[in-house]
Amino acid sequence: MNSLLAARGLIRLEVVRALRNRKFLFFSVLYPAGLFLLIAGGAGAGTKAAGSRLDLSAFMMVSMASFGALTAVLLGNSERIAKERESGWVRQLRLTPLPGRGYVLAKSASATAVSLPAILVVFLVAAATKDVRLAAWQWLALTAALWAGSLCFAALGVAIGYLATGDTVRPVSMLVYFGLSVLGGLWMPTATFPGWLRRIADWVPTHAYAGLGRSLVLGEAPAPRDLAVLALSFALFVAGAAWLYRKDTLKT
């Protein structure tokens, strides 16, 4: 019971802190929408994305919404946690009854407060500028799927925050961030990749994450492999972050 109350308190605190960071909100919310306009803005109506049955506008809408969520939860979590470790804030949290796994889940859940605006802004821009139209249930299901799926990368952000130091967290997180974005096909369809790279991309969690959204836009059930990759990735990231949290605890 005490651990549950501690987790709820931490989530409330982290949500308030995240929403007060106006510079990061501006970057994570508007940057993906701007990239959407840059990539899909000049595409004519009916232009198909390479290797997909989706129009390029709808394809890139899902890609940039996924990219925006990734930006919000991965970069924000990793850098903030690394700084908290150096400032001594994490040592204070260890005095609470919150266990390692509960800490990781609380930090991951609070990070999604920023990912939701990033997703919604891309949807609004796509609908307003490229006339992307979906049924009401598709908009709701797509929003819910991408929002919930961002938890996977929020947990990865926690792990990076404990793996790297305050001096190295930015280059490490940026390397992971751009690697996941490119390999996951968020900037360009993986159908344009060489065969060997495409086979690797099929198992990258960001590829499964965007694939989940594209299935919903097509009105289809998500691919079992995409669900499996996301579930396994989430479990591994949470377990890894919790282990690093406990390992860091033993050092102090």
Side-chain angles (χ1 to χ4, degrees), residues 93-143:
L93 286 178
R94 294 194 185 107
L95 300 177
T96 71
L98 189 66
R101 199 173 298 270
Y103 170 84
V104 173
L105 292 174
K107 295 287 280 188
S108 301
S110 61
T112 60
V114 185
S115 68
L116 183 59
I119 293 167
L120 292 177
V121 167
V122 172
F123 288 173
L124 288 171
V125 169
T129 63
K130 299 301 293 182
D131 200 34
V132 175
R133 295 289 179 263
L134 299 176
W137 74 266
Q138 287 177 296
W139 285 120
L140 291 173
L142 184 59
T143 301

Side-chain angles (χ1 to χ4, degrees), residues 172-218:
V172 170
S173 59
M174 292 297 286
L175 181 64
V176 174
Y177 167 66
F178 284 116
L180 287 174
S181 299
V182 174
L183 283 177
L186 301 186
W187 289 355
M188 64 188 73
T190 56
T192 62
F193 292 179
W196 64 270
L197 187 57
R198 191 162 57 246
R199 287 189 289 273
I200 294 174
D202 286 342
W203 298 98
V204 174
T206 39
H207 183 270
Y209 181 46
L212 188 69
R214 292 175 189 134
S215 296
L216 292 170
V217 173
L218 289 167

Side-chain angles (χ1 to χ4, degrees), residues 67-85:
F67 178 64
L70 179 68
T71 303
V73 300
L74 179 63
L75 295 184
N77 245 5
S78 59
E79 294 192 21
R80 187 162 55 246
I81 289 170
K83 290 176 182 177
E84 287 174 356
R85 288 170 59 209

